[in-house]
DNA sequence: ACCTGAACACCGTTCAAGT
DNA sequence: ACCTGAACACCGTTCAAGT
């Protein structure tokens, strides 16, 4: 769980760091998912929750908390990918949920909608961080450099595909080509969070049976 | 690219199916990401885009298209995980984007906002499907059964953690405990899509430099 | 009882060699 | 030129055996 080089957390690596065989870990953990969840929960301690208790516009403070969360996951994108599958349940995760719920409450968002909104906000933030994870690349590669190169190549591929589109068959894409891939990733993420906050405040829950 | 048992698409499996060595694939594909993107693009042909040209409420038709997309990815959750990292750029993907943009346009959503909204909608749908993917489980396991068991165990863990929370330190979680984990996954996903559509329609873009 | 060495069943990617 | 066998460097998980 050290904060050194956990770019690529694996059972075998951790075991080696602990000077033992990989089998030993299975005394404490059932599988790799649990390992990832445990490390993520640890990392969640780095999320800056202070905006929740600060003063000022509740929306901006909520976005700040969510961007801090995204920033932490950005540093460890492989964990972000894992976080989509196995969410942690420890105290740091609960503190994060509490902070988000409190800010939505402060903003007058009904509790029921806020309950589902917090999940959607965290899912989006997690997915955004996960997107920047390198693929299943070769073991020895520099993860950062590879992710960068992949992102660049992908951006180019998407841009090319969009500009090559026939306006006759894809009129909406042609009409939107100016904005489809505009903006920095940071601008787009901030916009997405704001859109979800607005949507959460405006969208009532369907009739549901209590969990 | 056959639609048989591509639960766990790997370079080696595909090579074996083609009666050759794994090295041969690298003549056509640069890496596994590209393999996943190619298969996903193929699969996107199964998405039902007919609601885009039908009549009736544009929102419901948009949700229908997005749920069809989610349903396709649900059948191959490992590809959904891959889709977060490497989006396809083929004709089926372009047709999906065109359909979503057209429905948002029909609903009076400004083109610029629709441009960013389509990304957010697809990201959410993809992440929702990816959440149901099994972890990095042991090679031989039944993926479906394992994903089910994992989901069940996780739900239990989250439910327990939420109910064990101290109302004094986590008042908002305590207040929302009735709705936090309420609803079926289908209900929650439909709500999320509607919230994002509403948020997209209501959230103007910041001033951005054109892409 | 508690832990673990060694094995099993896989991976992605490269590169020297074959046709 | 085009393709590929074999190797390199990894994985997660299990289980029989050791202490």
């Amino acid at each position: 769980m050290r904060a050194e080089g956990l770019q690529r957390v694996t059972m075998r690596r951790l075991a080696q760091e602990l000077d033992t065989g990989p089998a030993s870990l299975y005394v404490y953990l059932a599988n790799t998912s649990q390992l990832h969840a445990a490390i993520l929960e640890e990392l969640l301690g780095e999320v800056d929750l202070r905006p929740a208790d600060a003063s000022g516009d509740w929306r901006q403070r909520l976005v700040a908390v969510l961007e801090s969360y995204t920033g932490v996951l950005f540093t460890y994108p492989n964990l972000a990918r894992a976080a989509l599958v196995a969410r942690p349940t420890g105290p740091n995760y609960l503190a994060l949920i509490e902070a988000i719920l409190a800010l939505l409450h402060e903003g007058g968002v009904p509790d029921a909608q806020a309950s589902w909104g917090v999940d959607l906000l965290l899912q989006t933030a997690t997915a955004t961080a996960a997107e920047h994870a390198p693929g299943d690349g070769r073991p020895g590669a520099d993860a950062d450099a590879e992710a960068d190169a992949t992102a660049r190549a992908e951006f180019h591929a998407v841009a090319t595909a969009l500009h090559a589109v026939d306006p006759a068959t894809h009129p909406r894409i042609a009409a939107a080509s100016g904005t489809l891939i505009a903006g920095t990733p940071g601008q787009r993420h901030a916009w997405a969070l704001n859109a979800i906050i607005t949507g959460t405040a405006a969208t009532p829950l369907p009739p549901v049976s209590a969990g």
Side-chain angles (χ1 to χ4, degrees), chain A:
Chain A
M1 321 287 193
R2 295 300 88 72
E4 296 145 20
L6 66 169
Q7 307 290 9
R8 204 169 201 82
V9 192
T10 68
M11 288 288 199
R12 292 188 107 104
R13 265 207 218 298
L14 181 60
Q16 195 166 22
E17 200 128 326
L18 266 46
D19 274 317
T20 180
S24 308
L25 300 177
Y26 286 81
V27 178
Y28 312 101
L29 299 157
N31 51 46
T32 310
S33 253
Q34 267 182 31
L35 170 63
H36 288 321
I39 293 173
L40 183 59
E41 162 62 24
E42 199 67 23
L43 243 42
L44 252 31
E46 291 174 29
V47 176
D48 184 8
L49 298 180
R50 287 172 306 176
D53 296 316
S55 60
D57 181 60
W58 68 273
R59 271 181 99 100
Q60 276 172 25
R61 288 185 287 139
L62 175 50
V63 171
V65 167
L66 290 165
E67 283 180 338
S68 172
Y69 170 81
T70 311
V72 168
L73 286 194
F74 238 86
T75 319
Y76 314 96
N78 289 313
L79 284 179
R81 288 182 91 179
L84 278 173
V85 177
R87 302 206 177 217
T89 54
N92 286 329
Y93 188 65
L94 291 176
L96 175 61
I97 292 179
E98 176 70 20
I100 296 170
L101 286 176
L103 283 162
L104 288 169
H105 183 74
E106 188 181 333
V109 177
D111 278 2
Q113 291 162 224
S115 297
W116 289 18
V118 61
D119 228 61
L120 181 53
L121 286 166
L122 287 176
Q123 187 197 49
T124 297
T126 306
T128 296
E131 276 177 14
H132 292 253
D136 314 311
R138 80 203 141 279
D142 179 338
D144 271 7
E146 190 180 352
D148 255 38
T150 305
R152 225 180 298 278
E154 247 223 72
F155 180 86
H156 185 78
V158 173
T160 303
L162 290 175
H163 280 113
V165 134
D166 180 358
T169 55
H170 299 76
R172 289 291 106 216
I173 291 179
S177 67
T179 44
L180 264 172
I181 55 170
T184 65
Q187 284 176 324
R188 292 177 78 108
H189 186 50
W191 178 88
L193 294 176
N194 271 294
I196 293 174
I197 293 169
T198 297
T200 296
T203 310
L205 261 53
V208 292
S209 53

